[in-house]
Amino acid sequence: MSSTENWTFSHDVATSAEWTPGLREIFEYRDLGIKQGTKGDYVAHLIRHNGKKVKDEVHTGTSTTAPSRWSMS
């Protein structure tokens, strides 16, 4: 971790926010600019649900897997 002396102030305005798709297709992500302000020491994002539904099956190349449903007895 670098010294905090090299960090700069970061201010993100909600009205000019840019929401982008990310790792999970049911969420949108918004970068808060913390990575640039802290020279890579920290990262912060806001995450919101985008209204899409979760699919029952996950397709991974040639195989298909369904979500596991198990309980411990």
Side-chain angles (χ1 to χ4, degrees):
M1 182 165 84
S2 65
S3 169
T4 58
E5 295 172 7
N6 297 325
W7 290 2
T8 58
F9 182 76
S10 176
H11 178 74
D12 185 71
V13 181
T15 56
S16 63
E18 292 184 29
W19 293 90
T20 59
L23 179 63
R24 303 210 170 36
E25 66 181 53
I26 63 169
F27 295 117
E28 294 176 319
Y29 299 82
R30 177 176 151 202
D31 183 16
L32 296 177
I34 302 298
K35 184 176 182 178
Q36 295 82 5
T38 62
K39 307 296 186 257
D41 288 338
Y42 295 95
V43 176
H45 294 97
L46 291 179
I47 302 170
R48 71 179 180 188
H49 190 270
N50 61 15
K52 292 182 181 178
K53 303 243 183 212
V54 178
K55 295 178 182 174
D56 286 338
E57 293 184 339
V58 178
H59 300 280
T60 56
T62 58
S63 64
T64 302
T65 57
S68 63
R69 292 182 178 97
W70 58 274
S71 62
M72 297 182 66
S73 317

